[in-house]
Amino acid sequence: MKFYYGGNHKEAYQNLAHKPTFQQLCHYLFQHEAAILRDLKKEITNHDLEKTIDTAIKLQLIVRKDRRYRLLFPVVTPALVANIQEEKTFQLALQTLKKESDQNVLTALNYFNNLLEQDYFYGVTDAISFATATKLENEKLHLISCQLKDQTTTLPGYFNALKKSELTEENSLYALLGDVELNYALDQFSYIIQRTYQKKKVRPSIFRQALVMTDILAIDDSDNLQLAVPIFDHYGEQVISLADDVFKWQLLFTRFLDFKEMDFLQFIIFKG
């Protein structure tokens, strides 16, 4: 079972989700709707079982009632995905997203990104990747991207993975940027994007190279830099109507990426 989580308890969720005992526990409880502790101990012999259960109960991921344990978080199955995709509200949201302008897609993506700041936790039974949103921002620049889970082909995705110490020298961006300080990098990106927008020269640097590598900037046949992503100075009006369910929004943007035949989307809000 694969887990998706976020919000204020993200670190605690992450620590728990990586424990083999928790993974075995969730798999067993998903297969057996309710189980007593004696059954769990027969199935899972790990020494930290009871401690893991206590932690999961505190995080409201498992409930104990009438001496029986049950999962409190939703588990996504292929059947559930198919059912959600057939819902009229989901189909309407997807069709609306497909026909909207870049700015309205950006607004919906920002809404999705804000949802990911709330506490959420769910499991997935199959090895399916769902889209996620990530944003980097300072007072001048917002870089917001949507990519399949664990993708580091965008700068927001890269810095998110860097924060979690998930990168090695095998990652081309990490080989280029290393453990660069985020605020300093954002200042450099802001300066380069502004110069490019104003059609001014930009000296070669690792930050310019990173913007080219992540398809934010492109180099034309005359060796001039060009912006390769939509750039705006504000967010638009929200036009997507869908319940504030993180999984539904992840599925929505997963299907939108399928429609666009792209691995990721990215936008810039630049405030001069």
Side-chain angles (χ1 to χ4, degrees):
M1 188 180 296
K2 189 173 183 178
F3 301 109
Y4 289 82
Y5 45 82
N8 293 327
H9 297 300
K10 185 174 183 178
E11 185 175 346
Y13 289 154
Q14 180 174 313
N15 291 338
L16 190 60
H18 287 174
K19 285 180 175 291
T21 302
F22 180 72
Q23 295 168 14
Q24 293 176 45
L25 176 63
C26 292
H27 179 76
Y28 185 82
L29 289 178
F30 179 66
Q31 297 295 328
H32 304 80
E33 187 172 339
I36 60 175
L37 186 60
R38 184 174 65 247
D39 293 336
L40 294 175
K41 286 184 174 181
K42 285 181 182 178
E43 186 70 22
I44 305 168
T45 59
N46 301 19
H47 71 279
D48 61 342
L49 174 61
E50 292 192 54
K51 182 179 179 181
T52 299
I53 291 174
D54 289 342
T55 302
I57 289 175
K58 288 177 182 177
L59 289 171
Q60 298 184 354
L61 301 179
I62 289 176
V63 64
R64 181 181 185 272
K65 185 177 181 181
D66 299 328
R67 298 175 58 203
R68 295 185 177 274
Y69 297 87
R70 296 177 177 83
L71 296 179
L72 272 180
F73 61 86
V75 177
V76 177
T77 63
L80 179 59
V81 170
N83 288 338
I84 290 174
Q85 290 179 155
E86 291 175 1
E87 291 177 358
K88 289 183 179 180
T89 53
F90 183 87
Q91 283 297 319
L92 179 59
L94 181 57
Q95 293 306 316
T96 301
L97 195 60
K98 286 179 179 180
K99 67 183 182 182
E100 284 302 326
S101 66
D102 282 340
Q103 186 162 51
N104 286 341
V105 172
L106 163 64
T107 301
L109 182 56
N110 186 55
Y111 187 85
F112 173 31
N113 179 76
N114 291 337
L115 277 183
L116 292 172
E117 298 300 317
Q118 302 177 14
D119 286 343
Y120 69 93
F121 191 105
Y122 65 88
V124 179
T125 58
D126 289 52
I128 306 170
S129 290
F130 293 107
T132 191
T134 320
K135 183 164 65 173
L136 298 176
E137 60 183 308
N138 61 14
E139 66 276 5
K140 290 185 178 180
L141 179 71
H142 292 190
L143 291 176
I144 183 167
S145 66
C146 175
Q147 61 276 318
L148 293 177
K149 191 70 175 177
D150 300 327
Q151 289 283 334
T152 57
T153 47
T154 68
L155 286 173
Y158 169 78
F159 279 98
N160 185 54
L162 182 64
K163 183 171 61 176
K164 295 188 288 185
S165 301
E166 295 178 345
L167 301 172
T168 68
E169 291 287 346
E170 295 178 359
N171 181 282
S172 57
L173 270 177
Y174 187 74
L176 176 68
L177 295 174
D179 295 323
V180 63
E181 202 274 322
L182 174 58
N183 290 329
Y184 177 71
L186 279 174
D187 287 341
Q188 296 300 310
F189 294 145
S190 299
Y191 172 76
I192 294 169
I193 290 171
Q194 182 180 43
R195 297 278 297 182
T196 303
Y197 184 70
Q198 295 171 343
K199 301 189 183 301
K200 295 180 180 180
K201 293 289 184 181
V202 178
R203 290 182 300 176
S205 69
I206 61 171
F207 300 103
R208 191 182 94 157
Q209 189 176 344
L211 289 168
V212 173
M213 286 175 62
T214 53
D215 295 329
I216 292 174
L217 299 182
I219 301 176
D220 65 19
D221 295 336
S222 301
D223 202 35
N224 295 317
L225 284 176
Q226 304 284 342
L227 282 167
V229 299
I231 184 168
F232 303 98
D233 60 7
H234 68 283
Y235 294 102
E237 180 181 350
Q238 176 62 280
V239 297
I240 304 298
S241 179
L242 190 65
D244 288 352
D245 182 316
V246 167
F247 172 68
K248 287 187 177 182
W249 279 84
Q250 289 196 286
L251 184 59
L252 175 68
F253 272 94
T254 301
R255 293 296 167 255
F256 185 61
L257 284 171
D258 291 342
F259 167 72
K260 301 286 285 187
E261 297 183 340
M262 299 171 69
D263 291 328
F264 60 87
L265 298 167
Q266 50 188 347
F267 299 93
I268 295 173
I269 289 281
F270 192 72
K271 300 185 177 181

